[in-house]
Amino acid sequence: MLFGVVAYRKHPILWPIFLILTPLAVILHSVGALWGVVSPVENFEVTEKVTADVIEQANDLNQGALAEHEGTDRLLRESDDEFEEGIFTDDG
């Protein structure tokens, strides 16, 4: 979790919240996995996927920006030095 808050550039004031809630998240995830073993899903539906063109248009990106992106830098944030202040968001 510590590596995650650093990688997602969450503001350091939020770090204790994530670190304290990590054991709870692990327990809930384990209970959900156990429930999946005890009562497996009988039907499964997938959501409609959004194309890269729609994402680029909605975020005012140049055409082909997603295809050219190697995944190491952010596409939407103004500065790589900004911290995230929202707990559950990853937008700049």
Side-chain angles (χ1 to χ4, degrees):
M1 181 56 74
L2 184 60
F3 291 127
V5 295
V6 171
Y8 280 91
R9 290 181 168 78
K10 295 293 185 182
H11 198 282
I13 200 163
L14 296 173
W15 291 10
I17 295 169
F18 286 104
L19 296 176
I20 289 170
L21 292 178
T22 297
L24 177 64
V26 169
I27 290 169
L28 291 176
H29 182 271
S30 299
V31 169
L34 181 62
W35 182 257
V37 171
V38 172
S39 177
V41 175
E42 295 178 9
N43 59 10
F44 182 77
E45 296 180 20
V46 296
T47 58
E48 183 179 337
K49 304 301 181 218
V50 178
T51 64
D53 295 337
V54 173
I55 295 170
E56 290 168 349
Q57 185 179 22
N59 291 288
D60 294 325
L61 297 172
N62 294 329
Q63 186 174 7
L66 289 177
E68 296 169 0
H69 185 61
E70 76 272 351
T72 57
D73 297 323
R74 295 192 180 259
L75 286 171
L76 300 177
R77 177 149 317 138
E78 300 278 333
S79 167
D80 285 337
D81 296 328
E82 290 180 24
F83 282 115
E84 288 292 330
E85 295 180 356
I87 294 177
F88 297 109
T89 60
D90 186 32
D91 34 82

